[in-house]
Amino acid sequence: MSCVASREHPIRVLRPVGTTAPASAPRSPFPESRPAIGVDTPFEEDLVSESEDRQLRGGTSWRRFAAMAIPAAAVAGGILFGVANGAIAANITVSGTAFKVGAERLEGDKFKQYGGVVYEKDNPTPIPIAISEIGHADLYKLCQSVDASLPGMPVVLRIEAGGGKEPATADGMLIAMESLEGDAKFTNIKIGQDASDLSAAAKEGTFGQSADHVTITGLQQVARYTTAGTFNLKGLKLKVHAFGNAAGKQCF
């Protein structure tokens, strides 16, 4: 049988590592990839240069393209992951009214906290807030209220849930708050982390903290914005209190 080189089956020349290939050594116009770094191989392939590779493949340096495309894809993927998990509020503005959230007890897993800002519609002034992310939360005797008064008509909207044996639950919860009060206990807390390591929404170099678990009793929170992947309100009760009935109907 004769041995003829072709574009489909080029002849490959292997030589011991550290030796110089003869000037007449044929080059393969379609080299395969080099072995992965860290793999012990006894031979080194005589591969074409990047400029030759670019000419053969139509003028594009695929190695440089990959070097630029992979980090860009990683950044885009991080942003999309943040949006999907509630960490980034895409094109969302908050109302001009804060609301109150109270609970007899909150049990939360995968707790993260860092700083941020929100904006009201048609108002370029940023509103500084603290952002808390909780992977899963159980809220016992949850209460949420907001002052929804109209001109000449005091109105308070109040929601209650989780007052029975089963708490209200939330997964993928994010809370943008102005203040928080209560007695807190953290498990495996890490204080002073770079916030960008905790969330794609956080600014690099800013303060952050995290914990495996948090328990807050007597929770009283004033918030501007809340999201959750799922929010199960066991025993939901919603009531609008107006005029004289609105007095004292806020959660705290």
Side-chain angles (χ1 to χ4, degrees), residues 130-206:
I131 299 174
S132 291
E133 293 185 37
I134 302 176
H136 175 82
D138 293 328
L139 300 115
Y140 296 85
K141 293 187 178 180
L142 170 68
C143 177
Q144 178 178 307
S145 64
V146 61
D147 185 344
S149 296
L150 301 172
M153 181 188 297
V155 177
V156 170
L157 174 63
R158 180 177 174 126
I159 297 174
E160 296 179 13
K165 294 182 179 180
E166 294 186 79
T169 63
D171 291 301
M173 190 175 194
L174 179 146
I175 309 163
M177 69 187 79
E178 293 182 350
S179 66
L180 172 66
E181 295 183 20
D183 296 323
K185 178 182 178 180
F186 298 92
T187 303
N188 294 330
I189 189 169
K190 300 176 181 68
I191 302 173
Q193 292 179 275
D194 191 300
S196 64
D197 291 337
L198 301 177
S199 172
K203 184 178 179 181
E204 184 177 352
T206 58

Side-chain angles (χ1 to χ4, degrees), residues 229-248:
T230 58
F231 204 177
N232 295 318
L233 300 177
K234 302 290 186 178
L236 172 66
K237 297 178 181 178
L238 183 153
K239 191 168 183 178
V240 177
H241 302 273
F243 296 104
N245 293 329

